[in-house]
Amino acid sequence: MNQRRYIRQTTLKGFGLEGQKRLAKAKILVIGAGGLGVPVLTYLNAMGVGKIGIVDNDEVSITNLHRQVLYGENDIGESKVITAFEKLKAQNPDNDIVVYNTFLTTKNALEIITDYDVVVDTSDNFPTRYLVNDACVILNKPFVYGALHGYEGQVSVFNYKDGPTYRCLFPNMPNENEVPNCNEHGVLGIIPGIIGNLQALEAIKLVTGIGEVLSGKLLIFDGLQQSYQKIKFKLQPKNLEIKKLQAFYEWNDPCEIVPIVSVDELQRLLIEKAQIVDIRTNEEFTNFHLPDSIHIPLNELEANSNKINFSLPVYLLCQSGKRSETALRQLRNAHPESSVFSILGGLNQYLAECS
Amino acid sequence: MEVLLFGIAKDIVGESQLQFTESDKVPSSVSELKRMISETYPEFGKLTSLAVAVNSEYAEDNVPLDRNDEIAIIPPVSGG
């Protein structure tokens, strides 16, 4: 260890050389190298955490750069974990940086997490968050939670010394589309910087033993008001009884086969006057629609499914092909005998390729 | 009674807080509060996962409410 590098920390009362040695011995896994992951990685590395693992399978995109400040324009299209590895090594060559160029899955979660003392959840979706929770409960690892919504963020430490877990606060995953993510909802660049830094601080506290760990308390930060609220919550003991991971955490079974048709086929279907059901909103439909399509907005699909003739094949159309998959599941559950297809890529693809 | 709204709940209601003043009927429990908000804002009723805190403590649906309580409605957020 280069003593001089950390001298401002080792002279700090309450931290000292002992704190620095604990950091050097610590093994921290960061799940997600995005908006939250970048500040966590940057500070843990600068401060001298001995082993840092990074799990991500994304590439750097131009839309990341306003908040993921480790990356620059030259990195667009490159692997996030490889780019992060290079930059972190240049920042501080002392530490052991281990990259996992994969998303966290039910197949690899336990194997990866088991090697670390502390997990920092900097992922960007609910399925991964519930997977991290359950894997950490099974392996008895504390994890630092952080999540964002617009100008707000949440931070807590779960599963610390048999303390409460994520499921004690939010027992079950919300339904798909119930809560928007950053991609749909937008995020102010600085907010993940603040929340990620709060997470990094908790991770440092966990491995060095300084201060009071944010366990059993949810911190809610509102950037517009510059306000912090702390909510106390208790352990629900049944949430510590998880013994194995669920078969899958995605909203939909990844092995499920969604019947799709391509936009080329849509051209043929239009000529044949097949039954095309446009499930976009009234506004979208008024702006543009294909001739002879039946319009039932997605949120009225169940109530108005009598407009559909289920003895004929049903072709569901939306703007990008995402909502039509949701609609397909709804119709297939309600009418198991029917023959329903989702049009892949939706109108966007059709207009790009066929018009 | 002051109800602070976070995340998607704030977006649905369009305000960061709701006030129940002297003349308003005050909900008697957490579940009644959720029902009252849902009546005015039907989209709120579709949220299946919500944490509610009464005076900064996590509260289940059956927790009774008092006129002087400060309540926070906290949906899960996923962004990263």
Side-chain angles (χ1 to χ4, degrees), chain A residues 35-36 123-126 129 145 147-149 152 154 168-170 172 175 178-180 182 185 220 222 229-233, chain B residues 4-8 10-11 16 43 46-53 56-58 60 70 72 74-80:
Chain A
L36 292 171
S123 65
D124 62 359
N125 61 86
F126 287 113
R129 293 183 181 287
Y145 158 84
L148 309 167
H149 178 92
E152 290 172 22
Q154 301 180 351
C168 300
L169 203 52
F170 301 112
N172 298 305
N175 294 328
E178 186 176 318
V179 179
C182 288
H185 190 261
I220 307 172
D222 178 348
Q229 295 253 331
K230 270 194 223 169
I231 306 296
K232 284 190 209 152
F233 62 102
Chain B
L4 304 175
L5 301 160
F6 294 96
I8 185 75
K10 178 177 169 181
D11 298 344
S16 61
E43 285 295 311
K46 292 180 187 167
L47 302 177
T48 59
S49 173
L50 277 183
V52 176
S56 299
E57 293 241 14
Y58 183 89
E60 301 282 353
E70 186 184 279
I74 311 151
V77 298
S78 72

Side-chain angles (χ1 to χ4, degrees), chain A residues 48 81 85 89 94 104 114 138 176 192 212-213 217 234 244-245 250 253 255 260 272 285 340-341 343 351-352:
Chain A
V81 290
F85 175 86
K89 272 292 175 190
D94 286 355
L104 197 75
T114 197
I138 291 168
E176 193 177 8
E212 190 187 327
V213 173
K217 295 178 193 126
K234 291 197 177 75
K244 60 178 192 129
L245 298 176
E250 293 78 5
D253 183 346
C255 299
I260 48 167
E272 290 173 2
F285 189 81
V340 191
F341 300 87
I343 296 165
L351 293 173

